[in-house]
Amino acid sequence: MAMVEVCKMADLPVGKMKSVTVGENRILVANVEGKLHAMRAICNHEGGPLDEGELDHNQIICPWHGAIWDVTTGKTIWFPMKLDNEPLYAVKVENETVYVETEPLKELSA
Ligand code: FES
């Protein structure tokens, strides 16, 4: 298990998200009302970049086909077809720096 640096806390105000590439994976960290949540940034519909989507409270809208994800649960809020859940990751803040765990908290199935 390893933590990687994402950004400085000052660069992640409420309502914003940042992402980091870890090997083949990409993980985003979103600041939802002061609490940080991390989720895989690759939409499992067709691979859309969720870190380039729109964050509205706990919801991220995929920029490719509009799937709406809940960054706090990794579940789809809206999409015409059933999608697998996205993995979530542990986040920590140390010395004003945001770190994310590279292994998922748990593999959630749909
Ligand atoms: S790739 Fe995200 S909704 Fe299609």
Side-chain angles (χ1 to χ4, degrees), residues 68-87:
I68 303 175
W69 295 93
D70 184 338
V71 70
T72 67
T73 64
K75 295 182 177 175
T76 322
I77 293 171
W78 176 86
F79 200 60
M81 60 186 272
K82 180 116 178 89
L83 299 175
D84 289 341
N85 296 336
E86 289 287 354

Side-chain angles (χ1 to χ4, degrees), residues 43 45-48 62 64-67 79:
C43 181
H45 174 230
E46 288 185 357
C62 179
W64 282 8
H65 314 105
F79 200 60

Side-chain angles (χ1 to χ4, degrees), residues 25-108:
N25 197 13
R26 195 156 180 82
I27 301 168
L28 65 83
V29 180
N31 186 336
V32 180
E33 287 149 21
K35 192 164 187 318
L36 301 183
H37 299 271
M39 187 178 87
R40 189 171 69 159
I42 303 166
C43 181
N44 67 50
H45 174 230
E46 288 185 357
L50 294 176
D51 50 331
E52 294 174 20
E54 192 182 313
L55 177 66
D56 181 8
H57 294 90
N58 63 321
Q59 302 183 7
I60 296 175
I61 303 170
C62 179
W64 282 8
H65 314 105
I68 303 175
W69 295 93
D70 184 338
V71 70
T72 67
T73 64
K75 295 182 177 175
T76 322
I77 293 171
W78 176 86
F79 200 60
M81 60 186 272
K82 180 116 178 89
L83 299 175
D84 289 341
N85 296 336
E86 289 287 354
L88 302 176
Y89 299 83
V91 190
K92 79 170 177 186
V93 179
E94 212 170 84
N95 298 326
E96 295 300 311
T97 304
V98 179
Y99 297 89
V100 73
E101 182 63 61
T102 57
E103 294 297 320
L105 278 174
K106 52 194 165 193
E107 285 292 344
L108 301 171

Side-chain angles (χ1 to χ4, degrees), residues 7-29:
C7 63
K8 295 292 176 195
M9 193 59 216
D11 296 327
L12 192 54
V14 172
K16 295 291 178 198
M17 55 183 164
K18 292 283 181 187
S19 60
V20 65
T21 299
V22 182
E24 303 276 295
N25 197 13
R26 195 156 180 82
I27 301 168
L28 65 83
V29 180

